[in-house]
Amino acid sequence: MSVLTTEPGAAPAGEEPPDAGERHRLTAVTGLAALSLDAMASVAYGPEAIALVLAAAGARGLGFTLPVTLAIAALLAVLVASYRQVIAAFPDGGGSYAVAKAHLGTRTSLVAAASLVLDYVLNAAVAITAGVAALTSAFPALYGARLWLCLAVLALVTGVNLRGIAESAKAFIVPTVVFVGAVFVLIAVGLLRSAPVSTAAAAGHASVVADNAGGVGALLVLKAFASGCSALTGVEALANAVPSFRVPRVRRAQRAETALGAVLGLMLIGLAVLIGRFHLQPVAGVTVLAQLADASLGHNAAFYVIQFATMILLALSANTSFGGLPVLLKLLARDNYLPHVFALKADRQVHRHGVLALAAVSAGLLVFSGGDTDTLVPLFAIGVFVGFTLAQVGMVRHWRLERGPGWRGKALLNGLGALLTGVSAGVVTASKFTEGAWLVTVALPLLVAAFAAVHRAYDRIGERLGLGRVPEPPHRERSLVIVPVSALSRLTSEALTAAASLGDEVRAVTVCHPDPEDRAALHALERSWAVWDPGVPLVRLSCARRGLGRPIAAYVRAAAAEPGTRVTVLIPETEPERLWQRLLLNQRGAVVAHAVRRETNAVICRLRFRPA
């Protein structure tokens, strides 16, 4: 089914002309700020995830932090190169969903879409809870209010995104620059030091390094690699939201993807080098990034700048979801897998319904978790690995079909990426299954089933509408307009005048109940009608029950059965001057409209009468 229908060359309803809309789109720089906060902020927990796993093997295990990080950086390079190709091959956005749809089949594309939807929703919730957790760590008195703080941050990010993705990018440029600049300063200063300048942050905290350390086996290294791959979440967001960039969209998105890969890779490797240089050991209650800031810069104002910048960027990294998910929902709606309302745009190039849907689901997750990060983290990152793997496999097939220059090398690169991300997805799912990851394995097929159900519903609607077939030519039929009335007034006169303008025949109908009071009112109306004599018959509809909509709907249904007759029901209603005065109305019009719409195919017109 078609989502929108417009005249050739016209802008779709609710959109600005192309030239006006471009200023609400992203440049390469603002794209980084709007769509890469998730990936940037991941350096706050990616290296720590690696170190925590390797700590099970003691100090010897921590020595593998740099090799594991280098392997992740290599995978990052593969993903960046791959998603640059995805951006060029699929400029309408959609990332792994678009790739899978083109090369792996419908069912697989829905799995990719469902994995992306889950990842985006969980990313928004996890990012906000992590940022608030950093705040409550600095100010323990706020711990009891963490849920309300999470909801407040969510409301802030939602409000900014409703103003447009370009506006959200401008709002988040400064926090991004401060965070990235602070991390690079931390790395540069740390590389100039031969020993930690301070260990005050870790003082008094218990080490999590195992006392009875075992050997460093392949499984432990693989698990550390899989855990550290959480730093790669968000790499796909730029490919998902290519339509959000200014012209030339593909080139700007590719530049942003390359810049993201370079900045993220340098930060991850630099932090891993410092972990080995300072022989850092993870401790309970203090993040690895905080220890590195303490060791490199000292326990001073610079240390707190790092902490607050991390806190703010973690909280705002939910914006990656608000930038990518609405575009994905638009593509799913365009393909009839979601309600078409998700394909509509407001001004400022905002997919408002997608933004609000993400906010609502994220708020539900925050309430469910009580604003606790640990409740949500086991569910996080599984979906993105599934999406990574499907995108890489799809690109292998893309190169095999295209067979352009150097296609074998490109296919080999994507194949290697698919193998690495597939193994990571399996390891992460297995290791976190009992901690809550089983919910994702249940939610994923349910979401795919929901997409398929929506698509079947649209197929049935399209079949009934005869979409794709040339319809019969239009022809004129006798037009009958039915006007429900209950008393004589200016409203009645206006309604009959409008009805006479619409149809060949007009009938006024009134519902009569057996109560003596109702019968007296009916007789008074009939006498007044005879005196007024508007030239329109008044039809009495008797009803034993105190109903209004059903007797009118039954009469409309009988009238519509007359051969060659089109029935219109014109419902007159008073439009009050003030909003609160609507509470004074009896809502008879809404009752009649609901019954007629539910039980007949008649056209419904609601005449709004505004008294002078």
Side-chain angles (χ1 to χ4, degrees), residues 463-515:
E463 182 63 28
R464 292 172 186 170
L465 293 177
L467 293 177
R469 299 193 297 268
V470 178
E472 296 179 359
H475 59 280
R476 196 183 192 292
E477 293 183 338
R478 169 175 165 266
S479 176
L480 169 64
V481 183
I482 296 173
V483 183
V485 300
S486 59
L488 289 187
S489 65
R490 286 181 59 193
L491 177 62
T492 309
S493 177
E494 290 287 337
L496 295 182
T497 300
S501 303
L502 291 173
D504 302 317
E505 181 184 353
V506 179
R507 299 177 193 171
V509 298
T510 188
V511 178
C512 173
H513 301 106
D515 299 348

Side-chain angles (χ1 to χ4, degrees), residues 257-285:
E257 187 75 53
T258 302
L260 170 62
V263 172
L264 180 58
L266 288 174
M267 288 195 294
L268 289 174
I269 294 172
L271 294 176
V273 169
L274 293 186
I275 290 173
R277 189 180 188 86
F278 296 144
H279 304 289
L280 184 143
Q281 297 185 358
V283 298

Side-chain angles (χ1 to χ4, degrees), residues 271-469:
L271 294 176
V273 169
L274 293 186
I275 290 173
R277 189 180 188 86
F278 296 144
H279 304 289
L280 184 143
Q281 297 185 358
V283 298
V286 180
T287 65
V288 167
L289 187 60
Q291 291 186 67
L292 289 176
D294 196 32
S296 295
L297 305 173
H299 207 74
N300 48 32
F303 170 83
Y304 287 101
V305 168
I306 295 282
Q307 295 305 102
F308 277 99
T310 303
M311 174 194 71
I312 293 172
L313 203 71
L314 277 171
L316 297 183
S317 63
N319 197 67
T320 297
S321 296
F322 282 92
L325 182 59
V327 176
L328 175 63
L329 298 184
K330 179 202 76 171
L331 296 176
L332 287 168
R334 184 194 64 187
D335 295 336
N336 297 331
Y337 291 111
L338 280 179
H340 288 172
V341 69
F342 287 108
L344 300 179
K345 280 185 182 179
D347 55 358
R348 298 175 179 269
Q349 303 297 318
V350 178
H351 295 286
R352 182 174 296 163
H353 295 89
V355 170
L356 293 176
L358 174 57
V361 177
S362 298
L365 283 174
L366 292 174
V367 172
F368 165 75
S369 66
D372 181 35
T373 307
D374 293 337
T375 305
L376 296 172
V377 165
L379 313 178
F380 187 48
I382 297 175
V384 73
F385 286 133
V386 173
F388 280 161
T389 304
L390 294 178
Q392 299 283 331
V393 172
M395 289 306 293
V396 171
R397 184 170 176 79
H398 174 78
W399 297 127
R400 290 186 62 187
L401 293 174
E402 187 179 86
R403 292 181 177 271
W407 71 271
R408 287 187 175 84
K410 296 175 182 178
L412 181 63
L413 188 68
N414 291 135
L416 176 61
L419 175 64
L420 293 175
T421 56
V423 170
S424 299
V427 172
V428 171
T429 303
S431 62
K432 297 183 178 181
F433 189 82
T434 58
E435 301 175 28
W438 63 270
L439 286 172
V440 176
T441 63
V442 172
L444 197 63
L446 289 178
L447 202 51
V448 171
F451 292 156
V454 171
H455 195 270
R456 287 194 299 270
Y458 275 126
D459 282 345
R460 289 193 296 269
I461 294 172
E463 182 63 28
R464 292 172 186 170
L465 293 177
L467 293 177
R469 299 193 297 268

